[in-house]
Amino acid sequence: MSFLTRPVFEFEINWKNPVSKSFAFDLDELAIGFGAEVFTSLQTHVAQGYKFAVELQTPAQIDAFDAFTAALRGRLAGFWLPVPFAAVKWKAAVDATHFDIEDQNLRDTWQDHPDIYLLIGRTSYTSPQYQIAKITNVATAGAGAERITLDTALDPQPNARTPIARLHYVRLVDDTEEGQFVKEGFMTRSLKVVELPLEYTAYETGELPIYLYHFFTNAPATYHWRYTSFAADVASGNELFSKFAINHGSLAESAKLENQSLKITAVKDANHPFSLFFPIPFSRRLNVEVIEVSYADLETQTRRFTGTVRNVAEEGSKLTATCDSWANVLSRKVPLMLIQPTCNYNIYDLPTCKLPRAQKETTAQITAIDNAANPPTVTARLLFASSAHLAEWTAENWFAAGWLETGSALNFEVRTILSSALVDGETDIIQLTLNTFLVHAAVGNFIQLLPGCDGTAETCKTKFNNFVNFGGFVAVPTRNLALKGVNVSVAQGGKK
């Protein structure tokens, strides 16, 4: 179950075990006066932290807990935690939005902390039976009683046996999890969490920004990938942005038209466009937009960054892309065209290469998928076996450095082809080695295959018959002839 788009922790906490509670004070410095600087501290928030244990008594509960933490995708993703020893004790029902509790001076303290949400009822692994409501007021209700006013009508009403807990918005302190098997199928997991006081109101009122990430390539090979760092899918501008573990570095604000660099980090995933840069760089330009919206108004978009992905680095389970804004072109001292023997253009880019992809692409049907291979492979039967181009398609590495497309909409996938070869004993079945495994494709699916280009003049002539549009300089040598190699000789008997 979730509340305000965030998951609720539904696992039984053993509060009888030693539980530690900590407080972190948010103290801001304020400069006073115009002479010598004098500072005073202003306390704005007190963040509470907890360390507790969860007893998982069946394999199903262990699997459910693993699924819960895996869905958080990082320690900065928050969730709601019921804290029973910060609870209230029910005394009498009044109506759907009011009930009385025993006097605990809550009327003077309930606004001191942001955790003004109550979880009313008991959680269960199979069927959560609880309600969540926000405290809007607490007042005296006669001797020994206080009356709580809620923003939501309760149905059913709580009674003397109904547990009522304060609900805290927290995140995991560590990326690692600790657990101990007590016996077969029985596990104790230890957790450390810290409260996120600034995000209570921010998420509810929409003040906290939601970031949308749009990656795309230009025609003729046009693809779009849309993600959001929010915990739920977001529909904005008639487009769906899927939740994903992705974030970015600081965004610079400037009134000048100058180049900006931005780092975007995403969890390693075969469906993400960053994976196309491994093990060889993606042969097309990958554009990126970072868009900001609010939870209260998802349709009002503010573009915070627009540019291209320059390179992607692999960092363990994450991929980090370095992106340049469009203003990068203004900072170049020379045109983008480099004086080099290989071509400067991207294959099938109509404004430069001028080679339509329809002239070279072909269709095949998957006959086998081996995602366990390293790197993964796909075997496919070419559909136009009678074509005069069959000899080209089955030639060794004809499709190398090209790419494979399959699926549509949410099942669309594109992979870089590392190598291709005719299967022994066959005339129209080829094996393709891919940069990463396929996720949605299955045997029998149709795929589009596009041959790649290594950028050499010979390939442009013989493979693509497109030398008239070659974007390189064939007369440039591959090495500097003005430099002569130095032969180093070491005298015998010396120390070095």
Side-chain angles (χ1 to χ4, degrees):
M1 183 174 177
S2 63
F3 175 60
L4 294 177
T5 75
R6 289 296 190 261
V8 178
F9 192 84
E10 300 177 3
F11 301 91
E12 297 288 348
I13 301 173
N14 187 359
W15 296 104
K16 295 180 181 179
N17 283 347
V19 176
S20 62
K21 181 177 180 180
S22 60
F23 298 91
F25 295 89
D26 179 11
L27 302 177
D28 294 334
E29 291 184 338
L30 177 66
I32 301 178
F34 299 98
E37 291 185 344
V38 179
F39 291 92
T40 182
S41 297
L42 299 178
Q43 179 180 327
T44 57
H45 293 92
V46 178
Q48 304 180 68
Y50 299 95
K51 182 179 180 179
F52 56 88
V54 177
E55 294 183 350
L56 308 173
Q57 303 181 18
T58 65
Q61 293 178 5
I62 296 175
D63 292 341
F65 188 88
D66 288 337
F68 177 85
T69 54
L72 296 177
R73 304 296 290 269
R75 65 183 178 89
L76 294 182
F79 59 94
W80 297 98
L81 177 70
V83 184
F85 55 77
V88 296
K89 190 172 182 180
W90 183 91
K91 187 171 185 178
V94 179
D95 55 41
T97 57
H98 298 81
F99 66 90
D100 290 345
I101 63 172
E102 293 186 4
D103 193 345
Q104 59 188 55
N105 199 34
L106 187 62
R107 58 188 177 276
D108 294 330
T109 61
W110 72 278
Q111 297 185 79
D112 293 343
H113 298 278
D115 52 325
I116 57 177
Y117 299 90
L118 297 180
L119 184 141
I120 303 165
R122 183 177 298 280
T123 60
S124 168
Y125 288 109
T126 56
S127 57
Q129 300 293 329
Y130 56 78
Q131 304 174 75
I132 297 177
K134 178 181 177 181
I135 300 175
T136 58
N137 189 47
V138 181
T140 302
E146 292 180 299
R147 181 160 298 172
I148 292 180
T149 304
L150 304 175
D151 69 337
T152 303
L154 301 180
D155 184 21
Q157 287 280 348
N159 54 52
R161 295 183 301 275
T162 304
I164 303 174
R166 297 283 282 270
L167 202 59
H168 292 245
Y169 187 64
V170 301
R171 69 165 173 83
L172 298 176
V173 174
D174 301 317
D175 285 319
T176 58
E177 300 178 38
E178 298 179 5
Q180 180 180 4
F181 277 102
V182 180
K183 61 180 181 179
E184 183 68 25
F186 189 110
M187 188 178 191
T188 300
R189 301 286 278 270
S190 298
L191 291 179
K192 294 180 182 178
V193 298
V194 63
E195 191 178 22
L196 301 173
L198 293 176
E199 297 193 25
Y200 282 86
T201 306
Y203 272 117
E204 185 179 15
T205 62
E207 294 176 1
L208 195 70
I210 295 175
Y211 290 103
L212 312 177
Y213 303 85
H214 176 208
F215 302 95
F216 60 99
T217 57
N218 297 326
T222 303
Y223 317 112
H224 295 271
W225 297 266
R226 294 179 174 88
Y227 303 102
T228 177
S229 57
F230 196 53
D233 294 347
V234 172
S236 178
N238 295 323
E239 299 290 351
L240 180 65
F241 294 82
S242 302
K243 61 180 179 180
F244 197 82
I246 184 171
N247 56 63
H248 61 268
S250 59
L251 288 163
E253 298 287 350
S254 176
K256 300 178 181 179
L257 185 59
E258 56 187 14
N259 178 42
Q260 297 180 20
S261 182
L262 179 68
K263 289 188 179 296
I264 300 178
T265 301
V267 68
K268 190 183 297 182
D269 190 289
N271 282 328
H272 199 280
F274 289 174
S275 64
L276 299 175
F277 287 78
F278 298 96
I280 58 177
F282 190 41
S283 59
R284 302 201 56 79
R285 184 175 66 192
L286 182 63
N287 307 307
V288 57
E289 291 180 327
V290 179
I291 304 168
E292 181 181 316
V293 297
S294 69
Y295 185 69
D297 183 8
L298 297 175
E299 295 303 320
T300 301
Q301 298 183 351
T302 302
R303 278 169 174 74
R304 299 294 306 277
F305 181 86
T306 303
T308 60
V309 176
R310 188 193 336 145
N311 57 63
V312 179
E314 187 175 12
E315 302 174 355
S317 61
K318 300 183 295 183
L319 298 177
T320 300
T322 302
C323 309
D324 288 329
S325 66
W326 290 124
N328 178 50
V329 69
L330 301 179
S331 62
R332 297 176 186 148
K333 302 295 188 296
V334 296
L336 184 60
M337 178 74 72
L338 300 178
I339 301 177
Q340 59 185 20
T342 54
C343 186
N344 283 272
Y345 302 147
N346 289 324
I347 187 71
Y348 311 121
D349 187 17
L350 291 180
T352 55
C353 179
K354 296 182 173 61
L355 178 66
R357 60 175 284 177
Q359 289 187 11
K360 291 297 180 180
E361 68 179 337
T362 188
T363 305
Q365 188 174 24
I366 298 176
T367 59
I369 299 176
D370 189 357
N371 283 334
N374 187 19
T377 62
V378 168
T379 304
R381 183 184 300 275
L382 298 165
L383 294 188
F384 304 102
S386 60
S387 171
H389 298 287
L390 181 63
E392 295 179 343
W393 298 337
T394 55
E396 186 174 2
N397 289 330
W398 177 262
F399 294 101
W403 60 90
L404 173 154
E405 303 171 10
T406 181
S408 61
L410 296 178
N411 292 327
F412 174 77
E413 297 179 275
V414 57
R415 298 291 184 268
T416 301
I417 300 173
L418 305 182
S419 64
S420 65
L422 182 68
V423 175
D424 292 341
E426 302 290 344
T427 59
D428 58 352
I429 299 180
I430 59 176
Q431 186 179 68
L432 308 167
T433 304
L434 307 182
N435 67 319
T436 189
F437 58 87
L438 293 169
V439 177
H440 304 292
V443 173
N445 289 168
F446 295 100
I447 56 178
Q448 291 294 115
L449 300 176
L450 289 96
C453 179
D454 60 7
T456 63
E458 184 63 23
T459 298
C460 191
K461 290 178 184 178
T462 59
K463 185 175 182 177
F464 296 102
N465 192 27
N466 193 43
F467 188 68
V468 66
N469 297 311
F470 182 67
F473 300 83
V474 294
V476 175
T478 57
R479 64 188 181 90
N480 192 339
L481 300 178
L483 297 178
K484 181 180 179 180
V486 178
N487 295 323
V488 179
S489 60
V490 179
Q492 297 297 325
K495 294 183 178 180
K496 293 186 179 179

